[in-house]
Amino acid sequence: MTAREELIADAFVQLADTLVAEFDVLDFLHVLVERAVELLDADAGGIMLADQRGGLEVMAASSHEVHLVELFELQNEEGPCLEAFRSGLAVTRPDPAAMRVSWPAFTERLEEAGFASAQAVPMRLRDEVVGALNVFRVTPGALSDSDMKLARALADIATISLLQERSMRARDRLAEQLQGALNSRVLIEQAKGVLAERGGLEVGQAFRALRDHARRSGTPLAEVASAVVHGRLRLGR
């Protein structure tokens, strides 16, 4: 087995392992983004999930800039992630010209962020689409066929894992958990701002500080963020 094959196998094992007492949806989604960027010919990535009303929300991103690009995509209702979610199909374009035809405003914003290519795959099991995985490249052109297949496989195993968790805990329980994750996302953004202002950290460093503390202490990200926002915890350089 090659080193890349070992990385792929490890990623699938990690994404399939949701049978834990305190399954953290946000951390799981960030792991999915990290593995996608690591294994694909990609430079960044993000995930959108459907909320209880069927709308999409940005739930994970590999950087603050990517998070802003994803928000722009939602606000302007234009881009590959939305298209993948609505169609249930993988979405890509061969070059920037084709991207500008399909998504003119999104492509302009993407290029401002330093990227020249974007594609997305649905997080789907049969007829149920729960979200989409977006990957970005700084070089133009679509992912190779083999990388697109791997992206779909990563999204599929993540979707199966999420739905398996839901079936174990009951449908309403996971819907509540996903909504809770969305609410936690707001709290985490506030905590990142606090750390950026008071702790002298960049936005990306602020999130890593929150996540590292959560993992070391065994505390959910939302609780760490709440402690930072309310002054009960100080993190810095």
Side-chain angles (χ1 to χ4, degrees):
M1 181 180 290
T2 66
R4 175 173 166 77
E5 288 171 340
E6 288 184 3
L7 286 174
I8 292 172
D10 288 345
F12 277 92
V13 169
Q14 190 175 18
L15 291 172
D17 185 19
T18 60
L19 303 179
V20 293
E22 296 297 331
F23 176 61
D24 191 322
V25 174
L26 281 176
D27 190 61
F28 175 82
L29 296 174
H30 279 283
V31 168
L32 173 57
V33 170
E34 290 172 354
R35 294 297 167 264
V37 173
E38 178 183 27
L39 295 170
L40 305 174
D41 182 20
D43 300 287
I47 290 175
M48 297 183 189
L49 282 188
D51 60 20
Q52 289 176 313
R53 300 177 300 278
L56 282 178
E57 298 287 347
V58 179
M59 300 303 295
S62 59
S63 71
H64 180 63
E65 185 59 46
V66 170
H67 183 81
L68 295 178
V69 171
E70 296 272 61
L71 287 176
F72 181 89
E73 182 175 358
L74 282 180
Q75 290 165 358
N76 289 271
E77 297 189 350
E78 175 189 293
C81 216
L82 281 168
E83 190 172 324
F85 175 73
R86 291 166 177 168
S87 68
L89 301 173
V91 174
T92 188
R93 296 293 183 272
D95 52 50
M99 290 173 58
R100 282 190 285 271
V101 170
S102 298
W103 319 302
F106 170 79
T107 302
E108 181 179 353
R109 179 65 182 86
L110 187 73
E111 291 173 343
E112 289 174 358
F115 299 105
S117 172
Q119 38 267 304
V121 293
M123 296 181 66
R124 172 184 176 180
L125 180 64
R126 301 186 182 91
D127 294 331
E128 186 166 6
V129 183
V130 301
L133 167 66
N134 226 353
V135 292
F136 305 94
R137 305 173 69 222
V138 297
T139 54
L143 288 176
S144 66
D145 290 343
S146 61
D147 268 6
M148 283 298 288
K149 288 178 182 178
L150 179 55
R152 289 197 297 269
L154 290 169
D156 286 348
I157 190 64
T159 304
I160 291 169
S161 296
L162 286 171
L163 295 179
Q164 171 182 270
E165 226 283 335
R166 183 171 71 184
S167 66
M168 289 180 60
R169 311 260 178 164
R171 178 176 294 266
D172 290 343
R173 169 60 182 150
L174 185 58
E176 177 185 338
Q177 192 175 34
L178 290 174
Q179 188 64 40
L182 173 59
N183 296 336
S184 297
R185 180 79 254 173
V186 175
L187 193 60
I188 289 168
E189 291 301 316
Q190 292 175 340
K192 284 161 60 177
V194 169
L195 290 178
E197 180 182 356
R198 301 178 186 171
L201 300 176
E202 298 292 336
V203 175
Q205 292 176 321
F207 177 75
R208 287 192 293 273
L210 290 169
R211 189 179 178 193
D212 288 347
H213 184 86
R215 287 187 165 186
R216 286 196 305 270
S217 63
T219 307
L221 273 171
E223 290 186 19
V224 174
S226 178
V228 169
V229 169
H230 293 94
R232 298 191 303 272
L233 175 66
R234 291 187 176 276
L235 301 174
R237 293 184 185 277

